[in-house]
Amino acid sequence: MFEEKRNHQRKSQKAEVIVNILSDSKDPTHNNDHYECSSKDISKNGVKLYGNQSFIKGSRLKLEASHRKDEDLMSLIGYVKWTTVTTENEHLTGVEFSETNSPDIGIWKGMF
């Protein structure tokens, strides 16, 4: 039987996300690399990323995204909690936000 581990309500909302690796937990040569991904599933404390790039569990990421067309980019910091690859070879990454005192996280959480 499947055990639900989510603590927060999810929203199905698409956005383009720029991902900057702040610290790769296994390979420091990737620090400061950046990639483009998409998000389709967001919550108050995290986001699920979709794309062609895999990320290492435990890596610290900076995400820049806007989920509304008229908004500036929000800058959010989080850690990779899980990763998987679909049968279509698409990489899925779960990111949990870690900074609770930034202005952007307040704006983000206000969407819920």
Side-chain angles (χ1 to χ4, degrees), residues 28-53:
T29 61
H30 290 292
N31 293 356
N32 300 316
D33 286 357
H34 64 277
Y35 304 94
E36 291 183 15
C37 297
S38 297
S39 70
K40 298 177 188 173
D41 182 1
I42 65 174
S43 78
K44 192 174 190 177
N45 286 344
V47 63
K48 185 192 304 182
L49 300 175
Y50 298 74
N52 297 324
Q53 178 60 37

Side-chain angles (χ1 to χ4, degrees), residues 22 60-63 75-79 95-99:
L22 298 178
R60 187 168 177 245
L61 306 178
K62 176 182 176 184
L63 309 179
S75 181
L76 305 161
I77 306 294
Y79 287 91
V95 177
E96 181 177 68
F97 301 134
S98 60
E99 291 192 5

